[in-house]
């Protein structure tokens, strides 16, 4: 595929261009190329070491664990093959967790991206204090999810929460001026099973919108002004300009953001873990796959079972990612040579360590 | 061409990883007998872990310092880890090394650890203790909880029963007083319900009560208390089957549900900080453990008192937990002897520990005039003859992910007691069948 040039060492490419058709070693490499290969490896070594020690090794070890009955305290960990996987797949709580997680993804990915895009469009048209607004909207991204969740747990409190207080005041005010509204009943943000996931999604969007916003903003700023000038001369209004210029030229950015939103959303853990202090919310409505994995692995110390859940989640996320990358590559080609989004293609998807 | 380089990188990574894995596996085996650590001056160094993050932690620190002064040959390194993550850390250290010599276990967790053989049996140490350990001085229920399959693995430090906390000011306002005009706590269901009804008030006239007679705080302990009082519980006495869906348990759950939806004397446990409601005087009664006393002492201007939990059902019972002192399996005899000396010292100074807001398990401490003067502790201690622990089963910890949601679903009125408990039992039976 000619669209993945990142995987090719540019040095090697230039050398190949200079010495076309020269002899190769047994490994298919010329001596100088081999040496350069080792030098390259040496440069990459610090990262490779960290990657190997802290990511790859634990991930592979996790797979090994998932094939055993592995209670942390047990003196022996018998090999059970795929038994843990079979048990997880026939565990209806896993399916509840998966359904909750999918619901979260469906809620947070489109809405979150819409919010990010909206913010970026707004910011792009702001001439003064743009940096200030950028920082404001980006600030939540910097905050740790634990802090965010503790904050929002208080905002969402049914009795004394700020959100209900504000909504109550607004409803009260509207009634005061004669609107036929029912008296305000406090909203059960986190205590009614039907409200739990939308509440968590709202919080997550607030937390994460700034990240994608920056990417969208960069994408928007990359669009040459000439297009807009030409469109203005042709009499296009703001909507036409967005729909005919911004939106199509932003497609690579949009796809990139979508892919990574989906990746992140499937791995949702911190939100529910902190909001429900390790529990799963009313009627397990806040139980996500990653949280269930944690509960099994570190609450029940059944590491094998937890690792199997982790690998199933990995398989699901991987499937989605492959699908999206296919889509991404196709779209990027169609977007034309200038807008190629070849950057993320080379990197493999990272999986959360077990 | 370039793929060869990638192959090389892969090969390199594979070697790296297999080296790491084998190194990792080797180090993961390092559990069991650890050499005794000798500090400066030939002292035996003991690590001591617990989760006493509140005032109890300060009291424990004072006791540790006093012990060290009286035993210059032992150095105690105490580490306080919040209970929320305590067992994660303890479990992993017991499995993979770095475990403390002495640590606290809750009574309901002991069977789990004992069943995996990670606790030091104490039989010989107890038998050879000088002066002899006054076994008869221990309250029988906590003492028995230190045994698993006939072997003793711990020494009980205290017992923390649930009890009734009530707001004396609200009681007096509602006229629930005895002949001397003092607030009179309810002792049975009828008194409890009538008091709760008098105490539930709409003080600002918006049609919604804003002062509640009762509030469910920790649903698990509240449920165990109701369930035990109706003759129910989570597991059958032989710990082999789930009895949550029994008629006794259903009656207990219905009564709890009635408090919220039929009698409307307790708020729906929805998005409220229930304990805060009691602290702020918005709820007049709550069933909580003795360990919550410290947070009430902090609350300025809250007039409260403690009483034994009212008897809601036909059986006298109250939930309780215990802090037990245990040692890691396979520690050196020297460390074990020093550890035992330390554990024994803490137990012998139970009265001091009681001042940190606990109920002692030594009868001599319970009978002492100093203890009688601790108002809430002395009241809660009255329940000692009939307190009940969570099921003392190695699987206890695995039950709560099913017990808790069932109770919550009933208290939120999402499911009927029958639906909720049958679902929980189906899952619990699966856990019990697991090897």
């Amino acid at each position: 595929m000619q669209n993945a040039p990142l995987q090719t060492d540019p040095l090697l490419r230039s050398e190949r261009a200079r010495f076309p058709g020269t002899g190769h070693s047994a490994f298919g490499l010329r001596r100088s190329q081999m040496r350069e290969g080792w030098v390259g490896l040496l440069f990459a070594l610090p990262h490779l070491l960290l990657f190997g020690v802290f990511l790859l090794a634990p991930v592979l070890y996790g797979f090994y664990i998932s094939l055993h009955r592995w209670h942390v305290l047990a003196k022996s960990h018998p090999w059970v093959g795929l038994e843990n996987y079979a048990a997880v797949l026939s565990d209806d709580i896993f399916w509840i967790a998966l359904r909750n997680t999918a619901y979260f993804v469906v809620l947070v990915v489109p809405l979150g991206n819409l919010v990010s895009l909206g913010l970026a469009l707004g910011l792009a048209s702001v001439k003064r204090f743009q940096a200030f607004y950028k920082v404001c909207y980006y600030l939540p991204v910097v905050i740790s999810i634990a802090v965010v969740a503790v904050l929002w747990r208080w905002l969402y409190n049914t009795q004394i929460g700020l959100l209900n207080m504000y909504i109550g005041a607004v409803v009260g005010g509207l009634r005061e001026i004669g609107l036929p509204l029912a008296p305000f009943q406090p909203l059960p943000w986190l205590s009614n099973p039907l409200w739990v996931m939308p509440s968590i999604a709202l919080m997550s969007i607030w937390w994460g919108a700034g990240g994608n916003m920056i990417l969208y903003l960069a994408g928007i700023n990359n669009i040459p002004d000439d297009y807009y000038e030409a469109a203005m001369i042709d009499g296009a209004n703001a909507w036409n300009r967005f729909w005919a210029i911004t939106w199509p030229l932003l497609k690579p950015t949009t796809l990139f953001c979508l892919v990574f939103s989906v990746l992140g959303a499937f791995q949702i853990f911190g939100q529910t873990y902190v909001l429900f202090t390790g529990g799963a919310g009313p009627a397990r409505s806040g139980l996500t796959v990653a949280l269930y994995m944690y509960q099994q692995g570190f609450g029940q110390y059944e590491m094998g079972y937890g690792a199997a859940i982790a690998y199933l989640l990995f398989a699901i996320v991987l499937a989605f990612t492959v699908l999206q990358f296919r889509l991404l590559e196709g779209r990027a080609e169609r977007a034309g040579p200038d807008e190629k989004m070849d950057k993320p293609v080379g990197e493999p998807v990272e999986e959360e360590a077990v | 061409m370039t793929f060869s380089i990638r192959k090389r990188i892969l090969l390199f990574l594979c070697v790296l990883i297999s080296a790491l894995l084998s190194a990792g596996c080797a180090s993961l085996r390092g559990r069991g007998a650890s050499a005794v650590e000798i500090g400066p001056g030939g002292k035996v160094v003991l690590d001591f872990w617990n989760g006493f993050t509140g005032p109890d932690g300060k009291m424990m620190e004072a006791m540790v310092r006093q012990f060290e002064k009286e035993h210059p040959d032992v150095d105690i390194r105490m580490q306080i880890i919040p209970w929320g993550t305590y067992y994660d850390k303890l479990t992993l250290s017991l499995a993979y090394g770095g475990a403390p010599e002495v640590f606290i276990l809750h009574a309901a967790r002991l069977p789990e650890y004992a069943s995996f053989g990670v606790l030091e049996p104490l039989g010989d140490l107890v038998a050879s203790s000088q002066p002899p350990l006054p076994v008869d001085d221990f309250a029988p229920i906590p003492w028995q909880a230190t045994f698993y399959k006939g072997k003793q693995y711990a020494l009980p430090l205290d017992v923390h029963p649930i009890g009734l906390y009530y707001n004396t000011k609200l009681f007096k306002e509602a006229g629930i007083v005895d002949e001397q005009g003092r607030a009179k706590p309810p002792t049975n269901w009828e008194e409890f319900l009538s008091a709760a009804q008098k105490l539930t008030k709409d003080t600002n006239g918006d049609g919604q009560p804003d002062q509640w007679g009762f509030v469910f705080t920790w649903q698990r302990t509240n449920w165990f208390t109701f369930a035990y009082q109706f003759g129910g519980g989570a597991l059958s006495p032989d710990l082999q089957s789930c009895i949550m869906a029994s008629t006794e348990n259903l009656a207990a759950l219905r009564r709890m549900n009635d408090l919220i939806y039929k009698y409307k004397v307790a708020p729906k446990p929805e998005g409220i900080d229930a304990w805060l409601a009691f602290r702020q005087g918005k709820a007049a009664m709550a069933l909580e453990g003795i360990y919550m006393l410290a947070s009430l002492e902090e609350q300025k201007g809250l007039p409260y008192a403690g009483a034994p939990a009212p008897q809601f059902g036909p059986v006298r019972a109250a939930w309780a937990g215990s802090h037990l002192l245990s040692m890691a399996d396979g520690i050196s005899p020297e460390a074990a002897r020093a550890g035992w000396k330390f554990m024994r010292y803490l137990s012998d100074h139970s009265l001091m520990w009681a001042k940190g807001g606990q109920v002692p398990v030594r009868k001599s401490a319970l009978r002492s005039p100093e203890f009688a003067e601790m108002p809430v502790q002395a009241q809660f201690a009255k329940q000692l003859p009939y307190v009940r622990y969570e099921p003392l089963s190695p699987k206890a910890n695995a039950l709560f992910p099913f017990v808790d949601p069932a109770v919550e679903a009933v208290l939120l009125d999402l499911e009927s007691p029958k639906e909720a408990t049958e679902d929980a039992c189906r899952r619990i039976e699966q856990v019990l069948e697991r090897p």
Side-chain angles (χ1 to χ4, degrees):
Chain A
M1 177 148 316
Q2 64 175 22
N3 246 345
L6 255 215
Q7 290 154 0
T8 320
D9 190 332
L11 264 178
L12 288 177
R13 249 199 313 187
S14 61
E15 197 167 335
R16 205 171 6 172
R18 262 187 283 138
F19 307 100
T22 43
H24 298 311
S25 72
F27 289 99
L29 283 170
R30 288 180 59 256
R31 189 176 288 265
S32 62
Q33 285 176 325
M34 269 176 72
R35 206 182 54 235
E36 275 172 10
W38 284 111
V39 169
L41 205 58
L42 218 58
F43 274 115
L45 196 62
H47 173 76
L48 282 181
L49 263 177
L50 289 175
F51 174 79
V53 173
F54 292 109
L55 201 73
L56 203 55
V59 163
L60 294 178
Y61 193 50
F63 184 65
Y64 176 75
I65 287 177
S66 77
L67 303 174
H68 297 74
R69 184 177 303 122
W70 196 292
H71 190 289
V72 169
L73 289 175
K75 295 224 156 78
S76 68
H77 307 302
W79 166 271
V80 293
L82 295 176
E83 210 176 84
N84 281 326
Y85 290 90
V88 172
L89 289 175
S90 62
D91 176 354
D92 61 332
I93 296 183
F94 171 75
W95 292 103
I96 293 174
L98 188 60
R99 201 184 58 207
N100 289 341
T101 310
Y103 184 33
F104 177 77
V105 172
V106 167
L107 280 176
V108 93
V109 171
L111 270 178
N113 277 280
L114 219 58
V115 170
S116 299
L117 179 61
L119 287 175
L121 285 170
L123 270 182
S125 61
V126 168
K127 294 285 170 283
R128 295 174 63 182
F129 304 120
Q130 202 198 39
F132 171 75
Y133 290 116
K134 246 193 253 179
V135 170
C136 282
Y137 288 118
Y138 194 73
L139 217 51
V141 181
V142 183
I143 307 174
S144 138
I145 184 60
V147 177
V148 170
V150 168
L151 187 75
W152 279 75
R153 192 164 60 186
W154 175 67
L155 290 175
Y156 277 149
N157 187 301
T158 310
Q159 256 70 35
I160 57 160
L162 207 60
L163 277 182
N164 274 351
M165 248 171 69
Y166 284 158
I167 300 174
V170 168
V171 171
L174 291 175
R175 274 163 62 83
E176 202 79 351
I177 58 169
L179 281 174
L181 286 172
F184 176 67
Q185 290 294 324
L187 300 173
W189 295 102
L190 292 177
S191 38
N192 185 315
L194 295 176
W195 280 77
V196 166
M197 265 308 158
S199 298
I200 294 174
L202 179 64
M203 181 183 96
S204 304
I205 290 171
W206 176 85
W207 180 48
N212 281 345
M213 174 195 79
I214 296 290
L215 295 174
Y216 279 117
L217 194 59
I220 292 169
N221 287 339
N222 271 344
I223 301 172
D225 281 341
D226 322 9
Y227 297 170
Y228 293 105
E229 280 162 21
M232 300 258 266
I233 291 166
D234 287 346
N237 61 24
W239 170 252
N240 296 142
R241 290 200 300 273
F242 169 76
W243 192 242
I245 302 170
T246 317
W247 180 243
L249 291 180
L250 262 186
K251 248 176 199 164
T253 315
T254 312
L255 281 163
F256 176 80
C257 288
L258 281 176
V259 168
F260 278 79
S261 304
V262 168
L263 275 181
F266 262 112
Q267 297 175 14
I268 171 184
F269 170 77
Q271 285 92 321
T272 57
Y273 178 75
V274 179
L275 280 177
F276 302 111
T277 50
R284 297 196 177 90
S285 53
L287 185 69
T288 63
V289 177
L291 183 63
Y292 192 47
M293 169 196 84
Y294 174 82
Q295 287 180 348
Q296 290 296 322
F298 293 93
Q300 305 303 325
Y301 310 116
E302 293 288 357
M303 287 290 169
Y305 200 84
I309 296 174
Y311 267 87
L312 285 171
L313 178 62
F314 171 65
I316 294 165
V317 174
L318 188 70
F320 266 90
T321 310
V322 167
L323 196 81
Q324 284 179 314
F325 275 134
R326 285 277 153 77
L327 216 67
L328 188 87
E329 282 173 3
R331 295 294 181 101
E333 265 166 46
R334 242 177 295 152
D338 294 335
E339 305 290 338
K340 258 188 301 198
M341 281 295 299
D342 52 16
K343 193 163 177 279
V345 180
E347 273 294 307
V349 186
E350 291 185 357
E351 195 241 354
E352 200 152 282
V354 180
Chain B
M1 271 203 319
T2 51
F3 285 109
S4 295
I5 287 202
R6 297 181 73 206
K7 267 185 199 157
R8 272 160 183 282
I9 296 178
L10 272 178
L11 184 79
F12 174 76
L13 277 179
C14 285
V15 173
L16 189 77
I17 285 149
S18 35
L20 283 170
L21 274 182
S22 49
C25 291
S27 73
L28 292 182
R29 297 280 137 245
R31 92 179 208 185
S34 56
V36 62
E37 194 181 332
I38 306 293
K43 285 183 183 183
V44 177
V45 181
L46 295 180
D47 279 299
F48 171 43
W49 286 8
N50 61 60
F52 302 128
T53 47
D56 45 2
K58 290 201 186 76
M59 187 56 74
M60 183 52 83
E61 223 174 294
M63 292 170 78
V64 165
R65 239 175 266 134
Q66 196 175 311
F67 170 81
E68 285 177 331
K69 208 184 273 171
E70 292 174 31
H71 299 83
D73 55 329
V74 184
D75 198 4
I76 305 285
R77 269 197 312 226
M78 179 163 92
Q79 196 178 340
I80 298 174
I81 302 156
W83 290 122
T85 51
Y86 177 79
Y87 283 104
D88 295 356
K89 211 171 165 197
L90 181 68
T91 307
L92 293 176
S93 72
L94 284 169
Y96 299 128
E101 281 82 16
V102 183
F103 48 88
I104 296 283
L105 274 184
H106 285 95
R109 298 297 289 262
L110 179 115
E112 181 187 351
Y113 290 90
S115 72
F116 283 110
V118 295
L119 303 182
E120 175 83 358
L122 298 184
D124 296 342
L125 289 164
V126 174
S128 63
S129 192
Q130 280 306 328
L133 187 74
V135 174
D136 291 340
D137 194 37
F138 285 85
I141 293 175
W143 178 258
Q144 275 147 27
T146 62
F147 287 82
Y148 177 73
K149 293 198 171 163
K151 272 191 176 174
Q152 190 172 13
Y153 291 98
L155 192 66
L157 176 65
D158 61 36
V159 57
H160 41 260
I162 202 171
L164 182 75
Y165 289 102
Y166 58 103
N167 185 316
T168 51
K169 181 165 157 269
L170 298 182
F171 265 63
K172 283 178 195 156
E173 279 172 11
I176 310 164
V177 289
D178 60 11
E179 296 83 46
Q180 283 94 40
R182 287 181 307 218
K184 186 172 172 289
T187 58
N188 57 35
W189 168 250
E190 286 73 26
E191 288 176 19
F192 175 80
L193 184 60
S194 115
Q197 281 168 332
K198 282 184 206 153
L199 289 159
T200 303
K201 288 177 186 168
D202 172 17
T203 54
N204 61 6
D206 66 350
Q208 307 280 338
D210 33 52
Q211 177 189 314
W212 297 94
F214 177 72
V215 65
F216 285 106
T217 48
W218 193 10
Q219 295 175 4
R220 185 191 293 175
T221 56
N222 279 239
W223 174 74
F224 268 113
T225 302
F226 271 83
Y228 285 150
Q229 291 195 355
F230 277 80
L235 296 186
S236 58
D238 65 357
L239 306 172
Q240 297 303 309
S241 53
C242 173
I243 56 162
M244 275 190 84
S246 70
T247 42
E248 293 86 359
N249 273 309
L250 294 185
L253 270 172
R254 221 166 279 127
R255 187 152 277 187
M256 290 173 80
N257 178 282
D258 282 350
L259 284 174
I260 302 172
Y261 301 98
K262 185 174 169 193
Y263 304 114
K264 297 185 171 31
V265 294
K268 201 172 170 184
E270 197 172 67
I272 58 160
D273 187 332
W275 184 245
L276 195 67
F278 180 77
R279 279 178 61 158
Q280 293 177 336
K282 288 179 185 156
M285 292 186 279
L287 286 169
E288 259 303 343
I290 185 70
Y291 42 80
M292 296 306 269
L293 181 59
S295 94
L296 294 182
E297 284 168 348
E298 268 167 24
Q299 187 80 22
K300 288 199 180 70
L302 175 74
Y304 66 92
Q311 196 178 338
F312 304 108
V315 185
R316 283 194 108 177
W319 171 91
S322 265
H323 294 124
L324 312 178
L325 292 155
S326 271
M327 286 194 279
D329 175 51
I331 59 174
S332 69
E334 211 179 345
R337 271 194 303 276
W340 170 255
K341 215 191 306 181
F342 175 58
M343 285 160 60
R344 168 96 201 251
Y345 184 90
L346 293 181
S347 176
D348 287 345
H349 292 75
S350 278
L351 197 58
M352 190 169 173
W353 182 233
K355 286 178 194 143
Q358 308 281 349
V359 174
V361 292
R362 299 287 286 263
K363 290 177 192 162
S364 49
L366 286 164
R367 280 196 222 101
S368 69
E370 289 108 306
F371 184 70
E373 273 167 31
M374 302 178 192
V376 179
Q377 284 98 318
Q379 286 293 326
F380 279 32
K382 285 182 184 166
Q383 308 171 102
L384 234 72
Y386 56 85
V387 290
R388 293 273 306 270
Y389 292 115
E390 287 148 15
L392 296 178
S393 149
K395 299 278 177 73
N397 184 45
L399 308 180
F400 296 127
F402 311 117
V403 171
D404 294 344
V407 175
E408 187 184 38
V410 171
L411 291 188
L412 284 172
D413 218 21
L414 298 172
E415 286 171 46
S416 75
K418 199 167 147 55
E419 284 168 348
T421 52
E422 277 175 359
D423 182 56
C425 266
R426 182 171 59 79
R427 298 174 196 285
I428 288 173
E429 297 283 353
Q430 283 172 5
V431 171
L432 294 173
E433 278 162 24
R434 253 192 260 162

